[in-house]
Amino acid sequence: MKRRDFVGLTVLTLAFASSTVLLGGSAEAQEKKWTIGFSQATTIEPWRAQFNKDIIAEAAKHPEVELIITDGEDKTEKQVADVENLIRQEVDALLVSPKESAGLTGVVQQAIDAKIPVFVLDRNVETDQHTQFVGGDNKLIGRAAGEYAVELLGGPGKAQGNIVEIWGGMGTQPAHDRHDGFHEFTDKEPGIKNLLDQQSGDWKQDQAYDIMATALRSNEKIDVVYGHNDPMAYGAYLAAKDAGREKEIKFIGIDALPGEGVTWVKNGELTATFLYATPGAEGLRQAIKHLNGEKVEKAITLPTEKVTAENAEAILKEKGM
């Protein structure tokens, strides 16, 4: 491994990418054993920002590791270029959280061909040759949300109502899994009607607001909104509130960040959210484990949890909020 100079947990801008940072300890204090690159899809989404915080906090526990983080800036082509740069730097391991599964598959394969262990986080790619996948089970979370929606609408065999579903990015596997899992339950109910056909909010609150505003104008009765993440569910809530209709609708989201989804549930703005834990800390631990010669599983699934008014306050207290 090449020697480098570092400042303790100081952000350093590299020539090849303005959004790249190095995290590590002083070179005078000790020699780094491993260089691990992490390609993040974007940092503009709060869940992604928390993702980075989690991996940085974990890296601080491992003085033998130099962590390089890049920001794809929500652009597939930028993220591909970031990964190509990490490959050229000959990192000892590569962590990738793709913006789009198909769009990152080719460059991930390049890393694999270069004999770099690749750990795919959150969104998978279209190859099974990577070392490990770490993330939540989006289909399982979708099922939990679908089962809960059926309960809200009267229960199995009796459910009646109209649902607005707001998708995440159409090119991402998590959005399809969250949709498919949800519909495993709701499609069994003849009394449930889906009002929209694949309306994508691209995981963003403002886009979900616009989708919901249109849905409200077109439909006199909406009973449940299912957003593929909490910001979109909250954007839909705000649109309904502006239309004076928020009290007649139940809002379900996914992510359960304390400062977002859990707080919105506690405030009565969302009805429920489902925990989608960030895989940053676990992904880094697994990469270090592999580099140290230990065996790692092909896939690790992070647990989920339903957050409603009954447990939201307790969760916030546990987080010191």
Side-chain angles (χ1 to χ4, degrees):
M1 186 189 120
K2 305 179 185 70
R3 290 187 62 91
R4 297 177 178 87
D5 292 328
F6 310 101
V7 180
L9 290 181
T10 297
V11 175
L12 303 176
T13 302
L14 303 185
F16 67 82
S18 62
S19 57
T20 301
V21 299
L22 288 176
L23 300 172
S26 169
E28 290 77 18
Q30 69 176 80
E31 168 72 6
K32 293 296 167 184
K33 184 177 181 181
W34 307 118
T35 300
I36 298 176
F38 170 43
S39 170
Q40 176 63 282
T42 180
T43 56
I44 62 174
E45 299 167 10
W47 186 84
R48 294 279 172 179
Q50 184 63 49
F51 191 161
N52 278 25
K53 289 179 184 177
D54 292 344
I55 198 169
I56 289 168
E58 185 63 30
K61 302 175 185 177
H62 300 277
E64 76 278 18
V65 170
E66 170 201 343
L67 177 64
I68 304 173
I69 301 178
T70 64
D71 177 6
E73 299 175 356
D74 208 28
K75 301 171 185 174
T76 296
E77 60 274 17
K78 170 65 166 62
Q79 191 175 18
V80 168
D82 289 344
V83 175
E84 289 173 342
N85 278 315
L86 291 170
I87 294 171
R88 283 194 289 271
Q89 291 191 82
E90 299 180 354
V91 293
D92 295 297
L94 174 66
L95 280 60
V96 181
S97 186
K99 173 176 169 57
E100 295 180 319
S101 301
L104 269 292
T105 297
V107 75
V108 164
Q109 189 63 54
Q110 289 179 36
I112 294 167
D113 293 342
K115 308 302 182 186
I116 298 173
V118 178
F119 296 78
V120 181
L121 310 181
D122 174 40
R123 297 174 183 168
N124 220 328
V125 289
E126 296 176 0
T127 176
D128 62 358
Q129 295 183 42
H130 49 75
T131 302
Q132 186 183 65
F133 171 80
V134 181
D137 186 331
N138 284 289
K139 190 168 285 188
L140 180 66
I141 294 172
R143 289 180 188 130
E147 185 176 24
Y148 184 64
V150 170
E151 290 176 11
L152 289 175
L153 294 174
K158 298 178 288 185
Q160 299 278 337
N162 295 335
I163 293 179
V164 163
E165 178 181 9
I166 304 178
W167 283 60
M170 300 301 297
T172 67
Q173 193 60 44
H176 288 270
D177 288 345
R178 291 177 186 189
H179 167 83
D180 292 345
F182 186 81
H183 283 266
E184 284 184 23
F185 281 86
T186 59
D187 286 358
K188 294 177 183 177
E189 304 298 327
I192 290 180
K193 181 180 180 182
N194 295 285
L195 299 178
L196 303 183
D197 180 26
Q198 296 190 347
Q199 293 289 306
S200 173
D202 195 29
W203 310 105
K204 296 175 177 62
Q205 179 177 310
D206 59 341
Q207 294 189 34
Y209 181 101
D210 293 340
I211 291 169
M212 186 63 180
T214 300
L216 288 162
R217 288 192 294 269
S218 304
N219 299 277
E220 294 183 2
K221 185 174 185 291
I222 299 174
D223 300 290
V224 171
V225 170
Y226 170 47
H228 284 191
N229 69 0
D230 289 333
M232 292 194 301
Y234 187 64
Y237 165 82
L238 293 176
K241 184 176 181 181
D242 287 346
R245 294 175 58 182
E246 80 280 8
K247 297 187 185 308
E248 65 192 58
I249 304 170
K250 306 293 187 183
F251 298 87
I252 301 172
I254 294 173
D255 281 349
L257 290 181
E260 287 191 341
V262 180
T263 295
W264 294 330
V265 169
K266 177 181 176 291
N267 292 343
E269 295 156 327
L270 299 188
T271 308
T273 180
F274 292 81
L275 175 65
Y276 187 66
T278 78
E282 186 61 35
L284 185 61
R285 285 193 291 267
Q286 292 294 317
I288 294 168
K289 183 178 177 180
H290 176 79
L291 290 171
N292 284 326
E294 299 179 52
K295 185 178 180 180
V296 298
E297 302 171 46
K298 187 66 176 178
I300 290 182
T301 301
L302 303 175
T304 188
E305 178 184 5
K306 180 172 73 176
V307 179
T308 64
E310 285 69 32
N311 62 345
E313 187 168 357
I315 291 171
L316 291 173
K317 283 183 179 179
E318 184 180 334
K319 299 291 185 182
M321 299 179 68

